[in-house]
Amino acid sequence: MADTASATRAGTLRLARPGPAALVAAGFVLVQLLLVSPRMGLGWDEIVYVSQVDERAPAAFFSAPRARGVTLLVAPVASWSDSVALLRVYLAVLAGLGLYLALRAWRGLFPERVLAAAGALFATLWVTLFYGPQAMPNHWVALGALSCVGCLLRARADRHDRAALWGVAASAALMALMRPADAVWVTVPLLVLALAVRRWRLLAALLGGLAAGAADWVIEARVSHGGLGERLDEASRIQGGLGWNFAVGDQLRGLAGRTLCRPCTGELPNPVITLWWLALPLLAGFALWIAVRARRTERTLVPLVCACTAAFPYLFMIGYAAPRFLLPAYALVAVPVADALWHLARGRHGSPRPLVTALVLVAVAGHLGVQFLIARHVAERSEGDRRDWARTAGELHRLGVRPPCLLTGHQAIPLAHYTGCASANTHGHNANTTDADVLRTARRIPVAALSRPGGPPPGYARSWSEHRFGGFDVRVAPAVREDPAG
């Protein structure tokens, strides 16, 4: 009896002990919150998504390329609380949980140590750490892609794995809900594979998930944009026109911490920063060679092909770069790369290679150091930018621009959020009003037009009183007077 009780307690302890993937996910949550302050204000794109459910401030203009997935993601917190810190902690925890679930989708396909290493490689990239706790869609497309490919491979291996089949549908829906176009690029190889092997249930799960996730976007296209074709054309125009464009150099420049590289000019970063990126194709090729020799080609080849299709439009079809665009490709390539690194360290028959292991550990440690430094630098710069917006909002309040109010022009969307105003533009990607509408609004509530220092003001604001602060020329409508107490 005593032996039985001891065995039961030991079994319980083994069940309770978190696995390596769970520890990686927990570490990811912690490092996010250490490197990116939970008190960092919302950025431009975040404001657009969050404002759709924040009843305390007017909703920002929602342009054609955007989807409502992030808005749904933040609604449980943003719909009732204006605490940025609470929202960041909520998103960081969700990002860690999502990473853990995405890695679990690969159970049985690779050893646990490989999956944990893959999670660590992906989670420690500066772009993953920076965007994990933010209200942005790319990280969630990445997790959906990783989960979808893992579930599909499991469903291919076992026709009776219903959980994997549902995982394929749910992961495809998550990607389409966040960014429909990205979901299509990721799943093209999976759709081809399902057709080629005539796995109709698998094909139905993929198509059903994509349709469910993209339904809202398609309906909104018909209701608000004149149709699906018109919305796609408008989205392409906003992104500078999709077509052949070699943007590999742009993405390399972005690796140094440029969250948006548009236009993307300047020298390439130090090779220390870009070495890992250039090594990815070599490690991926080595991983594929290992898989072919071990006669398990599919589980390595499929994520690599999906990574290539996910990255293709952002490397060859747009004229600017943002490192977050490649997050789905990084997530997918992480598993084969982790497998390659383990084989380098362990040798052909699993025996340790002390020298090679030491070299791999030194390379990985150096890589992590660079990634953490860039993550902290980007976070500090972003925190500074958002503090500047808050200071500019204070100056606008001093001039009498207080809610209810309207801001137009340069950076009107983020500054309107920090000021508590509505935002509108008469031209550009976020055009949603006319000069006449702005003038009519100015007769009822405070209105200010923003422009770059020395830049020409909008025609309707040329006679308005001019002020300069915070890197802006601010023209305030005549109906608004400066507050003497300020």
Side-chain angles (χ1 to χ4, degrees):
M1 290 293 292
D3 290 343
T4 302
S6 298
T8 301
R9 284 195 298 271
T12 302
L13 287 174
R14 279 195 296 272
L15 287 173
R17 186 182 301 124
L23 293 175
V24 167
F28 175 46
V29 174
L30 180 62
V31 176
Q32 286 177 84
L33 297 175
L34 288 174
L35 292 178
V36 181
S37 170
R39 289 185 169 81
M40 181 177 73
L42 297 179
W44 188 321
D45 293 286
E46 291 185 290
I47 287 166
V48 174
Y49 294 120
V50 172
S51 68
Q52 309 302 311
V53 290
D54 185 353
E55 295 181 356
R56 292 168 299 277
F61 177 68
F62 207 83
S63 62
R66 301 186 188 276
R68 303 277 175 176
V70 173
T71 298
L72 293 175
L73 185 72
V74 302
V77 171
S79 60
W80 61 270
S81 173
D82 61 356
S83 171
V84 175
L86 178 62
L87 181 62
R88 296 251 180 259
V89 172
Y90 163 75
L91 289 172
V93 171
L94 274 188
L97 178 61
L99 177 63
Y100 174 66
L101 294 176
L103 293 173
R104 279 182 62 86
W106 288 76
R107 286 176 304 162
L109 298 172
F110 286 91
E112 187 75 13
R113 65 177 183 273
V114 171
L115 299 180
L121 288 173
F122 175 68
T124 52
L125 294 175
W126 76 259
V127 64
T128 310
L129 290 166
F130 182 67
Y131 285 107
Q134 294 200 49
M136 297 288 282
N138 311 86
H139 178 74
W140 295 98
V141 176
L143 295 183
L146 183 61
S147 175
C148 189
V149 174
C151 287
L152 182 136
L153 291 171
R154 280 175 45 207
R156 279 269 295 136
D158 181 0
R159 290 176 177 268
H160 303 291
D161 192 341
R162 285 183 167 273
L165 202 62
W166 280 106
V168 169
S171 301
L174 174 64
M175 288 189 287
L177 188 64
M178 294 293 170
R179 286 179 72 91
D182 284 10
V184 171
W185 282 103
V186 169
T187 56
V188 162
L190 304 181
L191 293 167
V192 171
L193 176 61
L195 276 171
V197 298
R198 298 183 180 182
R199 294 289 297 272
W200 308 123
R201 291 173 64 192
L202 201 53
L203 182 64
L206 273 170
L207 292 175
L210 291 173
D216 177 76
W217 199 83
V218 173
I219 292 170
E220 190 176 59
R222 292 189 61 85
V223 172
S224 303
H225 298 271
L228 181 59
E230 288 78 2
R231 185 168 194 175
L232 290 171
D233 288 342
E234 188 179 352
S236 175
R237 178 184 59 79
I238 288 174
Q239 293 175 306
L242 299 180
W244 178 255
N245 186 82
F246 189 77
V248 174
D250 296 345
Q251 288 291 347
L252 278 170
R253 291 180 180 89
L255 294 177
R258 300 171 68 173
T259 54
L260 181 62
C261 200
R262 187 179 192 181
C264 209
T265 57
E267 297 293 326
L268 291 176
N270 189 299
V272 171
I273 294 173
T274 59
L275 185 61
W276 72 271
W277 203 79
L278 299 173
L280 280 181
L282 299 177
L283 289 169
F286 180 53
L288 186 57
W289 179 74
I290 293 168
V292 171
R293 292 191 62 182
R295 296 183 180 180
R296 51 176 177 79
T297 305
E298 185 177 82
R299 67 187 67 174
T300 296
L301 180 60
V302 171
L304 290 179
V305 173
C306 289
C308 290
T309 58
F312 181 82
Y314 297 113
L315 293 176
F316 303 108
M317 292 185 67
I318 62 174
Y320 65 100
R324 59 189 171 87
F325 292 161
L326 295 183
L327 276 170
Y330 297 151
L332 289 166
V333 82
V335 175
V337 165
D339 188 41
L341 291 175
W342 270 107
H343 275 79
L344 281 173
R346 301 299 296 178
R348 182 176 178 182
H349 300 291
S351 57
R353 291 175 170 175
L355 180 59
V356 176
T357 299
L359 291 174
V360 169
L361 289 175
V362 168
V364 170
H367 167 69
L368 294 183
V370 171
Q371 295 302 305
F372 288 171
L373 285 173
I374 295 175
R376 190 60 207 138
H377 168 71
V378 174
E380 288 176 348
R381 188 182 65 224
S382 298
E383 289 167 21
D385 291 342
R386 292 161 199 192
R387 283 193 297 269
D388 289 343
W389 286 340
R391 281 192 290 268
T392 301
E395 290 294 324
L396 287 165
H397 287 161
R398 186 184 66 81
L399 294 173
V401 183
R402 297 190 183 94
C405 48
L406 175 70
L407 297 186
T408 70
H410 180 55
Q411 296 194 20
I413 287 177
L415 281 172
H417 170 79
Y418 283 86
T419 311
C421 300
S423 60
N425 278 288
T426 58
H427 63 279
H429 301 325
N430 297 302
N432 61 343
T433 191
T434 64
D435 291 7
D437 286 336
V438 172
L439 290 171
R440 275 194 294 270
T441 303
R443 299 190 192 107
R444 297 185 289 104
I445 60 174
V447 176
L450 308 162
S451 58
R452 300 176 191 274
Y460 56 81
R462 286 175 184 163
S463 62
W464 295 359
S465 61
E466 182 179 353
H467 311 267
R468 179 172 293 184
F469 49 80
F472 297 91
D473 282 352
V474 180
R475 289 170 174 82
V476 180
V480 179
R481 296 287 182 260
E482 292 189 17
D483 185 352

